[in-house]
Amino acid sequence: MTVVDTPPAALREAPVPPDGMYEGPRVLRRLPDGWEERPYERFEVAPLGRVIGAEIRGLDLSRPLDPALREELNRALLEWKVLFFRGQHLTPEAQRQFARHWGELETNPLLAAGSSEDVVRFDKGSGATPTFENVWHADVTFRERPALGAVLQLREVPPVGGDTMWADMAAAYDNLPAEVKARIDGATAVHDFIPGFARFYGPERLAPFQETFPPVEHPVVRTHPETGRRMLFVNTSFTTRITGMERAESDRLLSFLCRQAHVPEYQVRFHWQPGDVAFWDNRATQHYAVNDYAPHRRVAERVAIEGDRPF
Ligand SMILES: [Fe+2]
């Protein structure tokens, strides 16, 4: 890992807006540049928000996915960033099969696997297992190649609560003040699993993970490999500092950038029923699992798809 000692001029001393929340109109651009609205032939799209989140109706995900349908779903994923499929009740194998149309499945040694190595089970609320998914984050950005996306199915849903929220990080980038965009253009940041995961393990269990996952640098603004959109790519769970910047200034700027995921206009919130499936683009979004349902149980199973190196 290279650490730049002298920050570029644009990263020095420029002011950060005080709290990141602006009044007034926001730029809410759902489609990438050059894309036009095109109808979907194979399913119905019911938007849940202006820029992010759509329910896909008329599909049974346990059925084989032909190439044309896979392409149409991929277009919907790129346009809406997170897709919801109601009442699917997929077997773990069907969930895996569906996800494999987007790439190899990721295994994550930091998370206890559920029904298999690549299906991670989150069983929360009723027992002693604490939940820490209620912080805005993208998954596994501490990896050199963070996940492309994930397919999550809810098996058991609490009587009330347990929603998940997602935020569109292209919208977050679009709305940054010009002076902030200038400061972070070309900047990189360090990502490390320690802030997100240290609480789960003692130092002796952490040590081997630290060898597997040393800190990595990613661009603060990443370009989507399929749409070319610029997206803010720092998050509270894993981004520890902006490369080459004084600690205090890095903390201040990072805190401002991470807070952009909190802006309601960039978000969608999904209320689960058992068997519902969400498929999100982890390159373009952050998510937050609302922790409001204890002592009731919430059981989710997730498979993640391997991604590429952010640029
Ligand atoms: Fe997550």
Side-chain angles (χ1 to χ4, degrees):
M1 186 186 71
T2 22
V3 173
V4 181
D5 290 315
T6 317
L11 291 182
R12 277 183 242 132
E13 299 305 316
V16 166
D19 70 357
M21 301 300 163
Y22 298 95
E23 339 174 82
R26 300 190 191 276
V27 179
L28 294 174
R29 211 159 52 86
R30 183 170 59 80
L31 294 176
D33 283 337
W35 288 37
E36 285 167 20
E37 294 282 359
R38 276 192 291 147
Y40 288 93
E41 315 276 331
R42 303 286 294 275
F43 46 78
E44 190 191 328
V45 175
L48 298 183
R50 171 78 184 274
V51 289
I52 178 171
E55 196 180 309
I56 303 297
R57 294 178 184 156
L59 286 185
D60 174 354
L61 299 187
S62 67
R63 313 268 307 170
L65 215 62
D66 61 73
L69 178 54
R70 190 266 179 210
E71 277 324 293
E72 202 162 269
L73 275 173
N74 194 54
R75 175 159 64 92
L77 180 71
L78 298 175
E79 288 187 3
W80 291 99
K81 298 103 195 173
V82 52
L83 306 179
F84 304 105
F85 305 85
R86 292 282 187 190
Q88 296 290 323
H89 301 281
L90 300 177
T91 62
E93 185 47 32
Q95 190 176 350
R96 255 190 231 112
Q97 287 294 351
F98 174 75
R100 276 205 200 98
H101 285 93
W102 276 266
E104 294 297 315
L105 303 188
E106 187 182 84
T107 54
N108 186 347
L110 285 160
L111 293 172
S115 39
S116 81
E117 256 217 319
D118 50 26
V119 179
V120 178
R121 190 174 168 95
F122 301 89
D123 185 344
K124 301 283 171 76
S126 59
T129 328
T131 181
F132 294 103
E133 290 86 27
N134 58 338
V135 57
W136 281 102
H137 67 285
D139 288 333
V140 298
T141 65
F142 55 84
R143 296 178 94 122
E144 225 176 72
R145 297 165 186 274
L148 174 154
V151 177
L152 183 77
Q153 176 168 253
L154 264 281
R155 294 260 172 223
E156 221 178 300
V157 171
V160 71
D163 295 358
T164 306
M165 302 173 72
W166 284 264
D168 176 354
M169 300 318 289
Y173 175 76
D174 285 347
N175 285 281
L176 289 176
E179 67 271 20
V180 174
K181 282 185 180 161
R183 294 184 70 195
I184 60 177
D185 187 34
T188 62
V190 178
H191 293 239
D192 191 338
F193 76 92
I194 293 286
F197 280 96
R199 55 169 80 89
F200 298 114
Y201 306 106
E204 63 297 328
R205 286 217 41 214
L206 278 178
F209 292 139
Q210 284 175 287
E211 274 172 43
T212 315
F213 300 116
V216 291
E217 279 184 32
H218 295 306
V220 173
V221 181
R222 106 176 259 195
T223 302
H224 197 289
E226 295 184 72
T227 66
R229 278 193 88 169
R230 308 262 286 153
M231 308 170 299
L232 196 53
F233 196 63
V234 291
N235 68 82
T236 309
S237 287
F238 305 122
T239 314
T240 55
R241 65 178 301 158
I242 296 180
T243 311
M245 193 177 279
E246 291 290 330
R247 170 58 71 185
E249 185 57 9
S250 165
D251 287 351
R252 212 158 68 90
L253 184 54
L254 267 183
S255 142
F256 169 76
L257 295 173
C258 289
R259 281 201 309 278
Q260 301 311 307
H262 306 183
V263 177
E265 286 92 334
Y266 316 153
Q267 298 173 351
V268 65
R269 178 170 180 146
F270 188 68
H271 183 63
W272 299 92
Q273 298 293 330
D276 289 349
V277 168
F279 177 22
W280 69 90
D281 185 341
N282 189 56
R283 304 164 294 192
T285 59
Q286 292 190 26
H287 53 279
Y288 181 112
V290 180
N291 186 358
D292 59 355
Y293 49 88
H296 299 287
R297 200 167 173 219
R298 181 185 187 271
V299 181
E301 286 178 351
R302 187 188 72 196
V303 294
I305 302 150
E306 287 183 358
D308 53 9
R309 179 123 211 202
F311 58 88

